[in-house]
């Protein structure tokens, strides 16, 4: 008799975004004239840059011709894209070889799928609050989970504590949902911990394009010792507007071993079994995003969102609320008035400012009392939301 994966019953029901949507819908049905502003979404809104769409058009036209037709591509991605990603790392002073890059359809799938090749007897360390994918994927694969607390006291950047045990460590920097970013010294503490304990760091750099401060690392491979203990996930989703196109990559250093096995080889074996590669058209689009013109155009979009983030963080600062993020990240994470719960604050913002936010409690118990605002909306809506925020009484 067929049975479901028994781990599924351990997944917590999470209706966060459904509940948010329902509350917003309910509010609009009772207040049809209200102009709601959505600051809850984590999806980008600006259109693709012309250099990217042109590359996609060219790549599809190319395949009209029998001699240029492409079917299944390499599991690990076309070399032209892997070479371009490898070059991008040089901008950060990091040497990553093209052979160490595995192109995929998303950092989300990579973050979850890597657990396929890691024993479920390994303990996974995740932060509370957390990007829910790490948690849910670990639950589904039956891994044991340990939490490390991210709080106002550690500015939502927890460090390895004494007696901490962890085999697999998810680190997201710049962080979703908190917008907090680790500096080099802090990341070095995690790298040292991982090397001493023979742990593996899964470093999610999906928002690295938002980092401007030279003190903050874009990549875990900027940290000495990381090539022996870390892999990195990165994506074109937020840096180039690829959330609907789908292209990302994982970096696995050649020397990285789990037990006696080379992790890159094991990962490629997994990909060859369960994945048939990213389309040629998509990879050509990603290549265009990394061209000098593509970099310039996509950076304009990132700067547009960053201006929104600045406007929102200035409004929160004026209100006198504790916050993190908003500077090297598209998210602002703030704490409301003492004692106010996340959902209460959500309702209050909806009613008094017609702003749809994301309650921090949806990302973990330490998120209680916090709200996440996203800067991925339009400049005009962000300005309006900031004004509304400043005009309500708390
Ligand atoms: N990692 C983090 C931390 C994210 O917040 C997101 C999307 O919101 C992703 C990964 C997903 O990236 P992708 O679109 O490449 O799957």
């Amino acid at each position: 008799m067929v049975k479901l994966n028994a781990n599924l019953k351990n997944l917590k029901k999470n209706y966060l975004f459904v509940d948010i949507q329902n509350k917003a819908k309910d509010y609009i049905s009772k207040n049809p004239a209200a102009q709601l502003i959505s600051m809850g979404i984590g999806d980008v809104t600006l259109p693709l840059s012309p250099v990217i769409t042109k590359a996609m058009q060219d790549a599809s036209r190319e395949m009209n011709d029998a001699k240029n037709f492409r079917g299944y591509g390499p599991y690990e991605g076309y070399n032209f894209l892997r070479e371009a990603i490898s070059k991008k790392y040089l901008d950060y002073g990091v040497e990553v070889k093209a052979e160490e890059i595995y192109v995929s359809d998303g950092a989300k799938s990579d973050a979850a799928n890597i657990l396929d090749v890691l024993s479920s007897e390994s303990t996974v360390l995740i932060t509370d609050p957390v990007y829910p994918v790490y948690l849910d994927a670990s639950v589904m694969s039956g891994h044991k989970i340990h939490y490390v607390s991210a709080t106002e006291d550690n500015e939502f950047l927890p460090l390895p504590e004494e007696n901490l045990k962890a085999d697999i460590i998810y680190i997201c920097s710049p962080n979703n949902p908190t917008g907090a970013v680790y500096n080099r010294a802090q990341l070095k503490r995690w790298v040292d911990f991982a090397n001493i304990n023979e742990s593996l760091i899964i470093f999610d750099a999906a928002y690295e394009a938002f980092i401007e401060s030279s003190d903050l690392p874009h990549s875990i491979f900027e940290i000495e010792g990381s090539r022996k203990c870390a892999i990195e996930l990165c994506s074109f989703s937020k840096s180039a507007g690829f959330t609907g196109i789908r292209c990302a990559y994982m970096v696995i250093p050649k020397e990285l071993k789990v037990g006696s096995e080379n992790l890159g080889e094991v990962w490629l074996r997994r990909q060859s079994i369960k994945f048939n590669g990213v389309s040629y058209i998509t990879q050509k689009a990603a290549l265009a995003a990394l061209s000098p013109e593509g970099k310039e155009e996509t950076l304009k979009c990132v700067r547009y969102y960053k201006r929104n983030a600045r406007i929102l963080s200035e409004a929160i600062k004026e209100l006198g609320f504790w916050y993190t993020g908003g500077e090297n990240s598209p998210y602002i994470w703030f704490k409301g008035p003492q004692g106010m719960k996340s959902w209460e604050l959500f309702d209050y913002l909806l009613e008094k400012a017609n702003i749809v936010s994301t309650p921090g409690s949806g990302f973990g118990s330490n998120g209680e009392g916090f709200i996440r605002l996203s800067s991925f909306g339009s400049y005009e809506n962000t300005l309006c939301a900031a004004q509304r925020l400043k005009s309500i009484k708390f």
Side-chain angles (χ1 to χ4, degrees):
M1 186 176 68
V2 64
K3 284 187 184 169
L4 286 175
N5 173 352
N7 299 320
L8 289 174
K9 67 177 185 316
N10 300 326
L11 283 174
K12 285 214 185 85
K13 303 245 179 308
N14 191 345
Y15 297 125
L16 180 64
F17 289 98
V18 178
D19 288 347
I20 291 171
Q21 235 176 11
N22 288 343
K23 279 197 178 245
K25 258 194 221 153
D26 187 48
Y27 185 82
I28 276 291
S29 72
K30 289 179 186 145
N31 305 275
Q35 300 282 318
L36 293 191
I37 299 179
S38 176
M39 309 250 90
I41 48 158
D43 199 354
V44 293
T45 54
L46 289 174
L48 288 168
S49 78
V51 70
I52 292 171
T53 46
K54 180 173 180 309
M56 294 176 88
Q57 286 161 348
D58 290 349
S60 63
R61 233 179 272 117
E62 227 183 89
M63 289 206 278
N64 280 152
D65 188 337
K67 72 176 185 308
N68 291 328
F69 171 75
R70 313 238 173 185
Y72 296 123
Y75 301 121
E76 65 275 27
Y78 285 103
N79 268 339
F80 61 75
L81 181 57
R82 298 168 88 205
E83 296 283 354
I85 295 167
S86 160
K87 276 207 191 95
K88 181 194 132 163
Y89 273 97
L90 292 178
D91 295 347
Y92 307 144
V94 166
E95 203 184 320
V96 163
K97 295 207 170 63
E99 311 89 84
E100 298 174 320
I101 294 162
Y102 300 82
V103 176
S104 77
D105 65 338
K108 181 178 185 170
S109 17
D110 283 348
N113 291 341
I114 188 67
L115 295 175
D116 272 5
V117 300
L118 301 171
S119 163
S120 58
E121 282 166 28
S122 317
T123 303
V124 176
L125 187 78
I126 57 176
T127 58
D128 171 7
V130 70
Y131 172 53
V133 172
Y134 314 148
L135 171 62
D136 291 342
S138 303
V139 169
M140 274 184 78
S141 59
H143 283 77
K144 286 178 281 213
I145 297 165
H146 281 187
Y147 290 93
V148 58
S149 274
T151 62
E152 198 179 332
D153 288 342
N154 57 29
E155 301 195 338
F156 287 91
L157 293 169
L159 292 170
E161 296 152 0
E162 246 177 81
N163 304 325
L164 183 73
K165 282 271 160 268
D167 303 312
I168 302 165
I169 304 165
Y170 280 102
I171 298 180
C172 178
S173 178
N175 191 270
N176 179 13
T178 69
V181 190
Y182 279 107
N183 64 29
R184 288 191 177 78
Q186 290 166 327
L187 275 188
K188 178 81 172 105
R189 298 253 321 256
W190 279 114
V191 166
D192 289 347
F193 172 88
N195 276 325
I196 290 166
N197 292 280
E198 297 182 52
S199 321
L200 174 73
I201 294 176
I202 302 171
F203 187 77
D204 188 339
Y207 297 97
E208 62 80 21
F210 288 79
I211 294 177
E212 248 171 294
S213 162
S214 58
D215 298 337
L216 302 172
H218 289 253
S219 164
I220 188 82
F221 300 118
E222 291 178 50
I223 311 300
E224 200 194 329
S226 59
R227 288 183 59 90
K228 281 196 230 119
C229 66
I231 62 173
E232 180 158 296
L233 317 177
C234 203
S235 171
F236 291 89
S237 282
K238 309 294 161 93
S239 61
F242 274 47
T243 52
I245 295 179
R246 313 304 306 143
C247 194
Y249 52 92
M250 188 188 287
V251 177
I252 308 180
K254 277 277 167 257
E255 58 265 51
L256 186 60
K257 295 210 163 171
V258 172
S260 59
E261 303 283 336
N262 179 292
L263 187 59
E265 283 168 21
V266 175
W267 176 244
L268 188 58
R269 177 87 177 106
R270 185 266 171 214
Q271 291 295 74
S272 71
I273 294 166
K274 294 198 178 181
F275 182 63
N276 252 336
V278 175
S279 80
Y280 176 69
I281 298 170
T282 298
Q283 293 192 58
K284 277 290 194 174
L287 179 69
L290 293 176
S291 68
E293 201 186 346
K295 274 189 185 165
E296 205 176 292
E297 287 182 10
T298 53
L299 194 61
K300 268 190 217 149
C301 297
V302 169
R303 290 208 172 118
Y304 176 96
Y305 297 133
K306 287 190 61 145
R307 178 173 58 166
N308 288 349
R310 222 167 16 249
I311 291 167
L312 289 172
S313 37
E314 272 160 20
I316 298 298
K317 204 190 285 177
E318 259 184 56
L319 285 164
F321 295 145
W322 189 95
Y323 76 97
T324 181
E327 215 182 321
N328 292 285
S329 150
Y331 299 118
I332 293 99
W333 175 256
F334 76 94
K335 187 179 169 187
Q338 207 56 41
M340 210 166 181
K341 301 248 188 229
S342 293
W343 276 109
E344 274 176 74
L345 196 47
F346 171 93
D347 289 337
Y348 197 71
L349 294 176
L350 182 61
E351 235 167 74
K352 303 289 180 196
N354 289 178
I355 289 173
V356 181
S357 59
T358 310
S361 55
F363 299 99
S365 57
N366 285 336
E368 186 58 274
F370 286 82
I371 285 285
R372 187 192 78 172
L373 295 178
S374 150
S375 66
F376 286 124
S378 73
Y379 172 63
E380 293 73 19
N381 277 351
T382 306
L383 267 186
C384 181
Q387 263 149 16
R388 288 186 194 173
L389 275 172
K390 288 189 278 188
S391 67
I392 55 174
K393 283 207 172 62
F394 282 93

